[in-house]
Amino acid sequence: MSITIHASFLPHDDPEAALAFYRDTLGFEVRNDVGYQGMRWITVGPVDQPGTSVVLQPSAADPGVTEDERRTITEMMAKGTYAGLLLGTTDLDGTFERMQAADSAEVVQEPTNQPYGVRDCAFRDPAGNLIRIQELP
């Protein structure tokens, strides 16, 4: 049996800001951009990894979520505690510099050697999602 990660989901609250971050800052390609009832789902992914995608979904898209839950999700997104993504790069310092120069990324942590054995940095995307980037060997 072979199982791969095909797509993961991250919430967004502004599709144009999400595009500016994931397409323009991270360099991901847009694979799909679908609107429905005033909402927008945008699928992006690394150019050299066509089988792996991130679906940027409206935070309020699930009809089973109550208004109280939507408020909680919005509050958690703003603090960066609702969702996150871990990326990898062979050039952490160069990636950090490019991300830091972009208006769409909020720096959370500069490149740091972690006590658990990795070197990484962290940003928040425009919706508040925590994006950690690890240096690959």
Side-chain angles (χ1 to χ4, degrees):
M1 177 169 62
S2 174
I3 297 176
T4 61
I5 296 173
H6 176 66
S8 58
F9 290 77
L10 284 179
H12 74 74
D13 53 8
D14 180 338
E16 293 305 321
L19 272 174
F21 181 80
Y22 288 95
R23 181 192 60 209
D24 303 337
T25 302
L26 281 177
F28 285 4
E29 66 181 358
V30 176
R31 299 191 175 142
N32 209 356
D33 191 338
V34 179
Y36 179 72
Q37 295 185 351
M39 293 182 277
R40 210 164 144 197
W41 288 257
I42 304 163
T43 304
V44 297
V47 174
D48 61 347
Q49 296 176 44
T52 304
S53 298
V54 176
V55 180
L56 305 169
Q57 68 176 4
S59 60
D62 187 342
V65 175
T66 67
E67 285 305 314
D68 284 343
E69 291 167 333
R70 278 189 178 82
R71 277 192 293 280
T72 299
I73 289 168
T74 300
E75 290 169 6
M76 291 176 72
M77 283 172 59
K79 293 190 307 187
T81 58
Y82 183 70
L85 187 63
L86 178 60
L87 303 173
T89 182
T90 56
D91 181 11
L92 186 65
D93 293 318
T95 301
F96 178 81
E97 288 174 17
R98 191 177 83 236
M99 298 284 294
Q100 186 178 34
D103 291 334
S104 61
E106 175 192 343
V107 175
V108 174
Q109 174 203 303
E110 294 186 2
T112 303
N113 292 320
Q114 300 292 354
Y116 42 88
V118 301
R119 184 166 183 264
D120 68 357
C121 63
F123 296 88
R124 283 204 181 95
D125 75 4
N129 298 308
L130 184 64
I131 310 299
R132 296 198 75 81
I133 305 173
Q134 284 186 356
E135 188 167 52
L136 301 173

